[in-house]
């Protein structure tokens, strides 16, 4: 469709249809055809897609990353930052969508998430896509508690200190 209003309305309509559980089996294979709209030129359409993904995330048996691959979400997050709008509605919604991937909360039904897990995920994001990491952590304060962010910062500082100490010891061994 050539009109951004039509594209955004189509995505919103799909989300409305997904509210009825009986539509899930029919719509599941069709949803990925909307995935490229995450890169639409219009904020309104991109935001509608992220809201759709947030809705899909809540549906048992459906995965948002099957609609839009995780790599595309990170590229979009980085691009939102490059557009000069790192704290805009699309960026904040993407941060909300991805927050459990990079900063999961402990769940009693599943594996307990340790700070080591969170540090590894943080370092992986920083390594794989520093631009997306910048936007994600810039918006993290709107999705995570101050205590969680403080704990992450403290853990990162401990890792940094340990790394510096290792480097220092290796340098002393080379020159002694």
């Amino acid at each position: 469709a050539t009109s951004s209003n039509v594209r955004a309305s189509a995505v919103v309509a799909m989300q409305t249809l997904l509210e009825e559980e009986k539509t899930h089996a029919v719509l599941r294979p069709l949803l990925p055809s909307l995935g490229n709209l995450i890169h639409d030129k219009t904020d309104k359409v991109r935001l509608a897609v992220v809201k759709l993904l947030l809705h899909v995330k809540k549906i048992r048996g459906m995965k948002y990353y099957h609609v839009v691959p995780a790599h595309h979400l990170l590229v979009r997050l980085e691009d939102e930052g490059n557009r000069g709008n790192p704290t805009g509605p699309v960026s904040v919604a993407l941060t909300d969508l991805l927050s459990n991937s990079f900063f999961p909360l402990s769940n009693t039904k599943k594996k307990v998430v340790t700070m080591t897990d969170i540090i590894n995920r943080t370092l992986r994001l920083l390594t794989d896509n520093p631009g997306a990491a910048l936007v994600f952590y810039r918006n993290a304060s709107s999705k995570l508690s101050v205590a969680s962010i403080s704990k992450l910062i403290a853990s990162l500082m401990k890792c940094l200190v340990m790394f510096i100490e290792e480097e220092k010891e290796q340098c002393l061994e080379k020159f002694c």
Side-chain angles (χ1 to χ4, degrees):
T2 57
S3 169
S4 60
N5 287 333
V6 172
R7 293 190 304 276
S9 294
V11 174
V12 170
M14 191 65 75
Q15 182 176 338
T16 302
L17 287 171
L18 284 170
E19 290 173 6
E20 179 56 51
E21 190 175 341
K22 294 175 184 173
T23 65
H24 295 177
V26 174
L27 295 178
R28 184 178 291 114
L30 301 174
L31 289 173
S33 66
L34 297 174
N36 283 335
L37 290 175
I38 193 73
H39 300 297
D40 195 271
K41 62 185 177 185
T42 309
D43 286 353
K44 182 178 184 178
V45 176
R46 294 192 309 271
L47 183 58
V49 172
V50 178
K51 286 181 178 180
L52 171 69
L53 295 174
L54 284 163
H55 186 78
V56 166
K57 185 177 181 180
K58 296 175 189 172
I59 298 173
R60 176 181 273 168
M62 287 184 144
K63 305 292 184 197
Y64 68 88
Y65 48 81
H66 290 159
V67 178
V68 178
H71 172 72
H72 286 268
L73 296 171
L74 292 175
V75 167
R76 168 57 33 219
L77 189 58
E78 179 179 19
D79 192 53
E80 291 297 322
N82 292 339
R83 289 174 179 256
N85 202 8
T87 57
V90 177
S91 299
V92 171
L94 279 167
T95 299
D96 187 19
L97 180 68
L98 296 170
S99 63
N100 201 42
S101 297
F102 297 107
F103 206 95
L105 301 173
S106 291
N107 188 338
T108 56
K109 295 178 186 176
K110 297 180 181 178
K111 177 185 153 194
V112 174
V113 180
T114 65
M115 275 314 289
T116 302
D117 295 331
I118 293 171
I119 293 293
N120 286 335
R121 291 174 187 217
T122 298
L123 294 175
R124 186 168 151 225
L125 178 59
L126 285 166
T127 303
D128 293 350
N129 197 323
L134 181 67
V135 176
F136 178 82
Y137 288 106
R138 188 172 196 176
N139 290 308
S141 64
S142 66
K143 300 298 167 193
L144 303 171
S145 70
V146 172
S148 295
I149 293 171
S150 300
K151 192 173 179 182
L152 174 63
I153 292 170
S155 296
L156 286 170
M157 290 304 295
K158 285 179 187 176
C159 288
L160 185 59
V161 167
M162 286 177 19
F163 178 74
I164 291 170
E165 290 297 322
E166 278 182 26
E167 287 293 314
K168 192 175 171 182
E169 287 176 21
Q170 288 178 1
C171 284
L172 288 174
E173 287 174 8
K174 280 184 183 178
F175 297 112
C176 291

